[in-house]
Amino acid sequence: MMKHLRKMLETEAPAATLLVRLSVGTVFLSEGLQKFIYPAELGAGRFVKIGIPWPEAMGPFVGVVEIVCGALVLAGLFTRFAAALLAIVMFVALLSTKLPILLGQDILGFHVRKLSRYGFWSMAHEARTDWAMLLGALFLVIVGAGRWSVDKRLVRRRGAP
């Protein structure tokens, strides 16, 4: 196994890391599927309302990334790479949807949606799942997939470098 690939797959994280993988993987897999099941509300149609550039392409693209990377995280395969892509998705989601709520106005081409209130507490409430998914993905980037993962089995099967 190439040295860099091995380093990406290696993990000494405990078996309990599976709980984080289950949380992050199932949420992203579900959200990705829903971008195709409900495209007007959660896919390209939502991306138009938010102000995401090229929504007809970006909606399906983000849906595929969420489905594929969510499934990889669930399996514990190429977990660090998949989680890094999901962290990028969450960073863009926070920037494009929660920053306008914090400021109470459109910013950087992203549109604020109609809410009863704006500011920090409204943004914090609306961002709770995004924040949890971002931190969960970053956790997996740092520690890897954990003991119960395909990544761990691949490294173990190949032996010491």
Side-chain angles (χ1 to χ4, degrees):
M1 186 181 303
M2 298 183 308
K3 184 178 175 181
H4 297 293
L5 179 60
R6 180 180 179 84
K7 187 170 175 81
M8 184 176 74
L9 299 177
E10 280 184 323
T11 178
E12 294 303 320
T17 303
L18 175 64
L19 298 174
V20 177
R21 286 192 9 241
L22 287 172
S23 175
V24 171
T26 55
V27 168
F28 278 107
L29 180 62
S30 169
E31 288 299 314
L33 289 169
Q34 289 179 74
K35 282 179 177 57
F36 293 99
I37 297 169
Y38 308 108
E41 297 88 3
L42 301 174
R46 181 163 188 263
F47 282 28
V48 168
K49 293 175 193 164
I50 294 169
I52 299 287
W54 314 293
E56 296 80 16
M58 292 305 292
F61 174 75
V62 171
V64 168
V65 168
E66 290 177 342
I67 291 166
V68 171
C69 292
L72 288 172
V73 165
L74 283 171
L77 177 61
F78 302 118
T79 304
R80 283 189 167 98
F81 176 74
L85 292 178
L86 294 173
I88 292 168
V89 167
M90 291 319 306
F91 178 75
V92 172
L94 285 163
L95 179 68
S96 64
T97 63
K98 303 323 182 273
L99 184 59
I101 294 171
L102 175 66
L103 301 175
Q105 63 186 27
D106 294 354
I107 184 162
L108 304 173
F110 302 123
H111 307 301
V112 67
R113 64 186 178 141
K114 180 79 171 119
L115 294 172
S116 61
R117 58 182 166 48
Y118 299 97
F120 177 79
W121 292 114
S122 183
M123 179 274 304
H125 172 74
E126 295 292 328
R128 64 193 183 279
T129 303
D130 297 2
W131 184 244
M133 290 300 101
L134 173 62
L135 294 179
L138 289 175
F139 173 83
L140 293 172
V141 169
I142 293 166
V143 304
R147 187 175 306 143
W148 294 338
S149 66
V150 176
D151 288 349
K152 182 73 172 179
R153 288 177 189 248
L154 288 173
V155 170
R156 191 178 316 136
R157 190 173 301 157
R158 299 297 292 189

